[in-house]
Amino acid sequence: DIQMTQSPSFLSASVGDRVTINCKASQNINRYLNWYQQKLGEAPKLLIYNANSLQTGIPSRFSGSGSGTDFTLTISSLQPEDVATYFCLQHNSWPYTFGAGTKLELK
Amino acid sequence: EVQLVESGGGLVQPGSSLKLSCVASGFTFSSYNMHWIRQAPKKGLEWIALIYYDSSNKYYADSVKGRFTISRDNSKNTLYLEMNSLRSEDTAMYYCAKDDYGSPFDYWGQGVMVTVSS
């Protein structure tokens, strides 16, 4: 199975900060990488698919980059409503596997 | 608006069975593949089962193969997960999720908790 190593596990940042979260795949997954946001008690929400495509309705402050084994989710200017856990998913090969998650809080 | 609503969870004893349901709305259910995904307490997410839009193919994670069965009723817009021989390690929040043509898991339900304990 492909292992997804996500970092950091925990992140504290201030409103307006630029925030980056990383996922590293144990082997090449091309651009088959999604990013999700999960707020407490809510369903996970797709933010970015196929490494850098913004899902419909997601604010443009969210962006994704990377290919191969290294990927980054960037929030260009952190907003209070962005407090959540973020996780990545590789869908290059079965079984699809997830990163362990990054819990983002406000400083 | 796409909605996926899971139900059927609860507290059960090891070795028992449970059947989860996921009712879909806001999209043409019969046109999309569907999945079950779970998250054990303080653990990461684990994909566990996939069913094609027409039930022609089903796939399972090794951890549940032979014990869990995914099914769907397109006339009722409902996805199911029948879980047998439950173990303590099956304790988790269970989510249903749909595929889009370009990406898996574009919409998820809020999840339903299953606790296996004596």
Side-chain angles (χ1 to χ4, degrees), chain A residues 20-54:
Chain A
T20 60
I21 298 169
N22 301 295
C23 263
K24 187 175 184 67
S26 60
Q27 62 191 72
N28 179 22
I29 59 168
N30 300 295
R31 301 182 72 84
Y32 295 111
L33 189 286
N34 290 1
W35 290 100
Y36 297 85
Q37 175 194 66
Q38 186 175 23
K39 297 182 180 179
L40 203 61
E42 296 186 9
K45 179 189 292 185
L46 176 63
L47 301 175
I48 303 287
Y49 63 96
N50 297 340
N52 63 2
S53 296
L54 190 68

Side-chain angles (χ1 to χ4, degrees), chain B:
Chain B
E1 178 195 3
V2 172
Q3 283 202 311
L4 298 168
V5 180
E6 303 95 337
S7 62
L11 172 63
V12 296
Q13 293 195 331
S16 61
S17 299
L18 201 60
K19 188 171 184 176
L20 306 182
S21 299
C22 168
V23 176
S25 60
F27 65 103
T28 306
F29 180 72
S30 59
S31 296
Y32 294 91
N33 299 344
M34 297 292 296
H35 303 258
W36 287 99
I37 298 155
R38 70 182 181 183
Q39 185 169 30
K42 303 204 185 302
K43 296 274 182 77
L45 289 152
E46 177 189 20
W47 167 85
I48 56 172
L50 157 67
I51 186 168
Y52 276 27
Y53 66 100
D54 59 357
S55 301
S56 59
N57 287 287
K58 303 176 185 181
Y59 300 95
Y60 300 93
D62 289 344
S63 58
V64 305
K65 199 174 295 181
R67 300 188 299 122
F68 289 12
T69 302
I70 190 171
S71 62
R72 64 193 295 162
D73 185 337
N74 286 344
S75 69
K76 295 182 178 179
N77 287 353
T78 303
L79 174 73
Y80 302 101
L81 184 69
E82 186 154 13
M83 305 183 292
N84 297 319
S85 303
L86 283 162
R87 307 166 180 166
S88 57
E89 55 264 37
D90 296 318
T91 294
M93 184 72 79
Y94 285 74
Y95 299 94
C96 62
K98 71 174 281 290
D99 271 355
D100 192 10
Y101 299 120
S103 167
F105 314 156
D106 65 332
Y107 286 94
W108 301 52
Q110 286 192 292
V112 62
M113 189 67 201
V114 172
T115 303
V116 184
S117 175
S118 55

Side-chain angles (χ1 to χ4, degrees), chain A:
Chain A
D1 297 1
I2 296 175
Q3 306 303 313
M4 301 301 297
T5 302
Q6 187 171 341
S7 63
S9 300
F10 181 82
L11 183 55
S12 182
S14 301
V15 173
D17 281 355
R18 182 181 182 87
V19 169
T20 60
I21 298 169
N22 301 295
C23 263
K24 187 175 184 67
S26 60
Q27 62 191 72
N28 179 22
I29 59 168
N30 300 295
R31 301 182 72 84
Y32 295 111
L33 189 286
N34 290 1
W35 290 100
Y36 297 85
Q37 175 194 66
Q38 186 175 23
K39 297 182 180 179
L40 203 61
E42 296 186 9
K45 179 189 292 185
L46 176 63
L47 301 175
I48 303 287
Y49 63 96
N50 297 340
N52 63 2
S53 296
L54 190 68
Q55 174 72 342
T56 303
I58 301 302
S60 59
R61 64 179 179 275
F62 292 93
S63 64
S65 62
S67 65
T69 61
D70 292 288
F71 300 85
T72 299
L73 172 70
T74 300
I75 307 174
S76 60
S77 178
L78 186 67
Q79 300 301 303
E81 60 266 32
D82 299 336
V83 169
T85 296
Y86 294 82
F87 57 90
C88 61
L89 163 77
Q90 71 80 18
H91 57 101
N92 182 76
S93 56
W94 288 102
Y96 294 169
T97 48
F98 296 87
T102 296
K103 189 172 183 179
L104 174 60
E105 73 162 29
L106 285 179
K107 195 178 292 183

